[in-house]
Amino acid sequence: MKNITIRFSLMASLGLFAVMLVIGAGLGVFTLQRSNNALALAYGLNTDTQAINDIYKDTTRTRSALVRAYTDFKENGKATSASSGLDSAATSQGRSATALQAFVARLPPAATDVQLRKELGDAAARLVGTLDRAIDALHHDDAAQYTKINVEQLTSQGAAFSALLEKFQKQQTALSERLMAERAREYTTVLWLVALGCAAALALVAAMHLFLKRVVIAPIGEAVTLLDRVAQGDLTAHAAVRGDNEIGRLMGGIARMQESLTAMVCTVRSGAQAIGATAHEVSLGNADLSARTEQQAGSLEETASSMEELTSTVQQTAGNAAQARQLVQTASTMATTGGADRK
């Protein structure tokens, strides 16, 4: 851990958060896809159920309209081909046939009992075909044929179609309920996963905080404190070098700076001491020179006084010499004069 670099620590933190984001995004996309599939399946089930129910309703309306046309014939002696009920039967029968074609052509939704759906479609097709024959019989005012078709085929085919439709509806309802239950379980699972993801994210944040505090923040605080002490002139603080990461290199640089400053201070102190000793020696030399200068000044004063005395003596001697020369000249003159007198 001591050799883990700050860059690696930060990149690892960002990488972990990125992984968590990717996992969260993937989970969200997966959940949305599942929800979309569930909605599509629910829509398909509802469409199939609604379509076959519409066919059943239209066939029921057709049968009711045929019964009304037959009743008009029996009670009022009105021709079945002229009954308004027959027109209503033809209209509802047309809707039934169109809806049945669409139901058979549509692909069954996933998880649908294909065999049951096919049987239901076949039953509806048989019923629609029989209704076509019943309508045709009434169009030709053949009440007996209609009665035969109604008794022998329509009743049993209608009951079969109704039974298969009820079974199909129950199956579709069961599929829808199972689908809703699965979505509810998935929703609960997603909530738990989100909660676990949040807890993991908080744990990761706390762990990264403690890690960065230990690896980065605390050593930087130590470095700042050490630099403050150095700035205040305290070079005795020890820079602890831990590891070979950025913090370790920083503390190593501070330690080398401390050593350099200590060596520089020692050099300056030694130079100052040497300069102090030299200054003391110069001061002593100056004092000795001053004493000698004063002594020489005294000797010069004595020499000057002696020179003055000598000058006075010389001058006096010169005066005496001049007097002596005068006396000599006088004596010589007198001698010369005396010799001349003798002659």
Side-chain angles (χ1 to χ4, degrees), residues 120-134:
L120 182 61
D122 292 341
R126 286 193 296 271
L127 179 60
V128 169
T130 302
L131 287 171
D132 282 335
R133 291 194 298 275

Side-chain angles (χ1 to χ4, degrees), residues 211-286:
F211 175 76
L212 293 176
K213 182 178 180 181
R214 179 178 178 183
V215 175
V216 179
I217 298 175
I220 288 179
E222 293 178 5
V224 170
T225 302
L226 183 60
L227 289 173
D228 286 338
R229 293 180 64 180
V230 171
Q232 294 172 3
D234 183 7
L235 299 178
T236 61
H238 175 65
V241 180
R242 305 184 187 93
D244 193 32
N245 56 9
E246 294 89 346
I247 300 299
R249 292 194 292 272
L250 173 63
M251 297 302 287
I254 293 175
R256 290 190 297 273
M257 180 192 71
Q258 230 177 342
E259 293 174 358
S260 298
L261 287 175
T262 301
M264 186 183 299
V265 169
C266 290
T267 302
V268 171
R269 182 180 296 174
S270 299
Q273 290 176 351
I275 291 172
T278 303
H280 181 67
E281 292 178 0
V282 170
S283 177
L284 292 178
N286 287 336

Side-chain angles (χ1 to χ4, degrees), residues 1 9 27 70 80 114 120 169 209 266 282 333:
M1 184 177 291
S9 304
L27 179 62
Y70 180 75
T80 55
V114 178
L120 182 61
Q169 286 178 330
H209 172 72
C266 290
V282 170
T333 302

Side-chain angles (χ1 to χ4, degrees), residues 17 20 194-208:
F17 280 113
M20 293 187 67
V194 170
L196 290 175
C198 291
L202 292 175
L204 178 61
V205 169
M208 291 308 302

Side-chain angles (χ1 to χ4, degrees), residues 38 44 48 56 67 71 81 99 102 115 118-119 125 129 141 162 212 225 230 243 257 259 279 287 304 310 329 334-335:
D48 245 18
Y56 178 77
V67 169
T71 302
S81 59
Q115 182 61 34
K118 183 177 183 304
E119 292 177 0
D141 296 324
S162 178
L212 293 176
T225 302
V230 171
M257 180 192 71
E259 293 174 358
L310 179 60
Q329 288 178 354
M334 287 178 65

